[in-house]
Amino acid sequence: MFRSAGRRTAILVLVLALAGPGVFAQSQPAPAFKDTTVLPEGPIGARIKSLIETLNSGSAERLKRFLNEECEQRFRDMVPLEEHVAVAFRFHRDTSGVDFHSVRTFTPERPGATVVIVKDRLLGNWWGLTFRFGAAPQSLVAGLGIGSARPPAGVVEPPLTEKGALEEVRALMARVKAKDWYSGTVLVAKGEAVLLTDFAGEASKAFHVPNNIDTKFNLGSMNKMFTSTAVARLVEAGKLSFDDPIGKWIDETWLPKDVTAKITVRHLITHTSGLGSYFNEVYDKSSRALFRKLDDYKPLIKDEKPAFTPGERYQYSNTGMFLLGVIIEKVTGEDYFDHIRKAVYAPAGMTNSDCYEMDYPVENLAIGYSPDPSSPYQWQNNLYKHVIKGGPAGGGFSTVKDLHRFALALLSGKLVSKGTRDLMWTDFKGANYGYGFAVVQSPGGKAVGHSGGFPGINSQLDIYVDSGYIVAAMCNYDSGASALANKIGAILARVKK
């Protein structure tokens, strides 16, 4: 993700899969479980029932009452009350409420944890509420997390024809539109054949300009795919090697020699460099207008040091991917943005994609919005939070049609050879990530792509390699595109071969 749109708070930890296709199975075997479809007796069952009712109410006052009366003080005071309210509000918005299904126990056991399985009313997804309770007899809530959950045993969706799957997707879109849950576009294709497109919401709430299928949305971290593809092309051309130490291209105005000597291009493109993110305190306190060209970012990056020995493990890194953009400039002698237009957008036919500058009137471009229930406007735009111009790690703009074209260009060998593409689409470190692409095993087979998230931004591209389906979703709300793309992927996985 370009910069995480999720927030870790005391009451809720939302696992919304913004870093990649989220309906996919984990790489390690899942633990065995058993579901009991009745609530525990006594105070624990009452606390569980009360929390579900509180989350379903969408009421800030009811949540405050739950925190004050049914939670331990230490848990309640871990974050400001407003943060509890904001995350609970988001969960309610993203689910339209949930219904109790069961209490889940695992083998091996999870001491001290009570896992409650609920199903949401909007997309029909399964969630796990993980409680930790204090001492009896009160059994106050001492900890709580929320994450996606596997369906209960025996719950199997029926197979579909392709026509039936598309009808189900259309019904899903009608449902989310009716609730103003989704503001954006969606495209479903099988190879070159576009099977479905749809759009919803407004590109500008201030002027009530509706989105259309050609509206440009912020990509968030999805620019990493374009940067990585450009790097792979330079490797194929013999101008660069994945095993080059980045000190060959990155000078000491960026990072010290003792850092760049130990990091390779391969470390950067696979997120194994140990570097972190330039979205730091300096960025937060700086004018966004200062950051347009790559060299402008030097003050944000120059003091970074790897958190571990490069190559040791996976750690998502915006700084690492940004430095690949710097290397592209050094190798080619061209401006990064010009090179991406020439090496990626032009051959793929992506005519509505670029890193546009947000202080210019770009036509048909959506402004990002975050819900703000405390404001009389109910929404807050992201113009003063996000970068003024995107770059190698994210923040550019595209359309679902252009993302489809990008997927086709990759599949046809127009951008890189099959051998290079297969390398990029192979999980590198057991983290469901290859060379600039998420790589996962889904119910529909192998899937690759990327997602992006930030306040007012959520987009995702999923390329289902085995079935040929391609799903692109782009949204100018905090969330929606990833959840929608994941749900569509789950529906398509039910299509009979």
Side-chain angles (χ1 to χ4, degrees):
M1 58 194 84
F2 185 30
R3 190 189 189 196
S4 175
R7 304 182 71 181
R8 180 174 291 270
T9 72
I11 188 167
L12 300 177
V13 180
L14 297 183
V15 183
L16 296 179
L18 296 182
V23 296
F24 307 145
Q26 299 298 312
S27 54
Q28 64 270 23
F33 66 84
K34 178 182 178 182
D35 287 327
T36 302
T37 56
V38 293
L39 283 168
E41 295 183 356
I44 288 180
R47 302 280 184 235
I48 293 170
K49 184 172 183 289
S50 178
L51 176 72
I52 292 173
E53 291 173 350
T54 298
L55 292 174
N56 288 348
S57 73
S59 165
E61 291 307 312
R62 183 158 183 176
L63 178 65
K64 292 174 185 176
R65 189 165 65 249
F66 178 84
L67 288 165
N68 287 324
E69 297 177 4
E70 303 195 52
C71 297
E72 291 187 351
Q73 182 175 351
R74 179 175 174 275
F75 169 72
R76 183 171 60 245
D77 294 343
M78 284 176 69
V79 297
L81 185 61
E82 294 75 17
E83 291 197 27
H84 287 298
V85 172
V87 179
F89 174 82
R90 178 182 173 185
F91 183 71
H92 178 262
R93 175 176 172 76
D94 284 350
T95 61
S96 290
V98 296
D99 295 306
F100 171 80
H101 179 271
S102 57
V103 176
R104 180 166 292 180
T105 53
F106 295 88
T107 303
E109 293 183 4
R110 299 183 180 180
T114 301
V115 180
V116 177
I117 303 302
V118 296
K119 187 176 186 180
D120 81 51
R121 298 169 182 171
L122 183 66
L123 300 181
N125 291 329
W126 294 96
W127 297 86
L129 313 182
T130 302
F131 291 84
R132 294 191 183 276
F133 294 101
Q138 286 186 301
S139 301
L140 296 174
V141 176
L144 176 64
I146 295 185
S148 57
R150 286 176 289 161
V155 175
V156 180
E157 298 283 2
L160 296 166
T161 63
E162 185 172 87
K163 180 181 178 182
L166 295 175
E167 289 173 353
E168 195 161 316
V169 173
R170 290 189 182 96
L172 172 66
M173 288 300 299
R175 194 159 66 245
V176 300
K177 284 183 183 181
K179 291 183 176 293
D180 188 30
W181 176 79
Y182 192 68
S183 177
T185 52
V186 65
L187 178 148
V188 179
K190 189 167 189 179
E192 295 184 2
V194 176
L195 305 177
L196 179 150
T197 59
D198 208 341
F199 52 89
E202 295 179 321
S204 168
K205 290 186 177 294
F207 297 100
H208 298 296
V209 177
N211 289 316
N212 59 58
I213 197 61
D214 294 311
T215 299
K216 304 175 186 74
F217 292 87
N218 200 299
L219 290 156
S221 276
M222 294 173 70
N223 281 89
K224 292 179 173 69
M225 295 186 294
F226 309 149
T227 299
S228 299
T229 300
V231 167
R233 286 169 62 93
L234 293 174
V235 171
E236 286 192 331
K239 297 180 180 180
L240 183 65
S241 168
F242 285 127
D243 295 315
D244 280 342
I246 65 171
K248 185 175 179 179
W249 312 105
I250 305 291
D251 63 35
E252 289 184 279
T253 63
W254 285 99
L255 290 171
K257 281 185 178 179
D258 65 331
V259 172
T260 59
K262 299 172 184 176
I263 298 173
T264 66
V265 173
R266 195 184 309 273
H267 292 146
L268 297 184
I269 202 169
T270 59
H271 295 289
T272 57
S273 69
L275 296 172
S277 178
Y278 52 84
F279 287 113
N280 50 32
E281 188 176 352
V282 176
Y283 171 81
D284 288 338
K285 293 181 178 179
S286 300
S287 167
R288 304 301 183 259
L290 296 174
F291 308 111
R292 295 179 192 264
K293 295 187 175 296
L294 301 200
D295 279 355
D296 297 339
Y297 285 77
K298 285 182 180 180
L300 307 182
I301 292 175
K302 65 182 180 65
D303 294 327
E304 276 209 42
K305 294 181 180 179
F308 51 83
T309 302
E312 183 176 279
R313 58 186 173 86
Y314 172 92
Q315 175 182 281
Y316 196 84
S317 173
N318 285 315
T319 296
M321 196 61 66
F322 186 94
L323 290 175
L324 286 178
V326 178
I327 291 172
I328 288 171
E329 290 194 336
K330 297 292 185 181
V331 171
T332 64
E334 299 174 338
D335 174 79
Y336 165 81
F337 304 101
D338 290 339
H339 184 76
I340 296 298
R341 293 183 196 110
K342 181 177 75 174
V344 179
Y345 298 155
M350 300 168 67
T351 56
N352 285 302
S353 301
D354 210 339
C355 289
Y356 303 108
E357 297 180 63
M358 294 301 292
D359 50 353
Y360 290 96
V362 180
E363 290 186 3
N364 201 9
L365 182 145
I367 302 301
Y369 295 94
S370 298
D372 185 1
S374 66
S375 162
Y377 301 101
Q378 296 296 296
W379 296 92
Q380 184 182 57
N381 73 47
N382 66 358
L383 290 175
Y384 296 97
K385 297 178 182 179
H386 203 242
V387 294
I388 201 167
K389 181 179 182 178
F397 286 79
S398 190
T399 67
V400 289
K401 289 182 178 179
D402 269 8
L403 290 177
H404 179 220
R405 295 182 183 108
F406 176 64
L408 293 177
L410 287 166
L411 290 165
S412 68
K414 190 176 290 185
L415 293 175
V416 294
S417 69
K418 180 181 183 300
T420 297
R421 185 192 69 211
D422 289 348
L423 175 68
M424 298 176 75
W425 289 0
T426 299
D427 188 2
F428 181 73
K429 207 73 173 177
N432 294 334
Y433 202 92
Y435 287 53
F437 289 80
V439 182
V440 287
Q441 289 299 320
S442 79
K446 182 178 180 179
V448 300
H450 217 290
S451 64
F454 190 88
I457 298 167
N458 187 209
S459 296
Q460 185 161 307
L461 171 66
D462 298 333
I463 304 168
Y464 292 88
V465 178
D466 299 325
S467 67
Y469 287 116
I470 299 167
V471 179
M474 308 192 78
C475 179
N476 59 330
Y477 287 169
D478 291 5
S479 60
S482 288
L484 183 62
N486 295 340
K487 187 64 178 181
I488 292 172
I491 293 170
L492 294 174
R494 293 161 51 199
V495 173
K496 293 181 290 188
K497 304 296 187 289

